[in-house]
Amino acid sequence: MTPDPSFFTLHRDLPREGPGRPEDVHWALYAAAVPEEARIADLACGPGADTRTLAKARPGARIEAVDRVPHFVAEARAAVAPYGARVTVREGDMAEVTGPYDFIWCAGGIYFLGVTEGLLLWRKALAPGGRVAFSEPCLPPRASAAAHAFWAEEYPAITGIEGIRRRVAAAGCRVLGERMVLGAAFRDYYDPMARRIAALRPGADAALGGVLDAAETEIERWQAAPDDIAYALLVVAPE
Ligand SMILES: C[S@@+](CC[C@H](N)C(=O)[O-])C[C@H]1O[C@@H](n2cnc3c(N)ncnc32)[C@H](O)[C@@H]1O
């Protein structure tokens, strides 16, 4: 699947495609008690920043990363090349994985399926005792009215943490751990994108200009009120 060319002009070759840091991966591996020789999936892996962290953190694991965008698959393959044949990256649909996996990691991707829908699919791909960690946009308890209005338009399914817990329960899963992804994780995502926007702005056509404007608005909103938006990272298991 090839994304809209203007969107992709902005998004290709960035270090990552959503907020998150290596310590979030480490926390999830610990919270999910992922064994050393686990079978791990990184679904919607994007350019593979977290695939690399998983590979480093679990040197005995077999890791399969999946993304539907060929260019991201190529970027992720390059990122994990040093880890050899135990780490593979393939082009595919994360809705169709069969596993079995001991641990499914999905940073900033489950919203393409819906939290409940994604978990219902993925639980079938889990080995007995397997766990899923995913991150999902989340309105913090004290998010402003302006943040509610902005995100309701950008992502109508957005809720606070209670709403995410309800979507997890609707998939017959229980929450083993929760962590808010905030601050530096957003900076790591937005700073390279802001530099890319500045570089692309001169000479951008109308379509690209629209993509740059939308991304800039999102970044400016975060810079002005960084506590108005978070990603919730949850480790869950089938009941
Ligand atoms: C917000 S990005 C997150 C990427 C990466 N996890 C990261 O944090 O850098 C979402 C990713 O989901 C991928 N994606 C969306 N729908 C997908 C699907 N059905 N199957 C596989 N990948 C998908 C996109 O290509 C994109 O790379």
Side-chain angles (χ1 to χ4, degrees), residues 16-18 44-47 67-69 72 92-94 107-108 111-112:
R16 57 179 308 128
E17 283 294 315
C45 65
D67 202 280
R68 69 179 175 183
V69 173
F72 287 145
D93 186 345
M94 64 179 163
Y111 71 88
F112 284 101

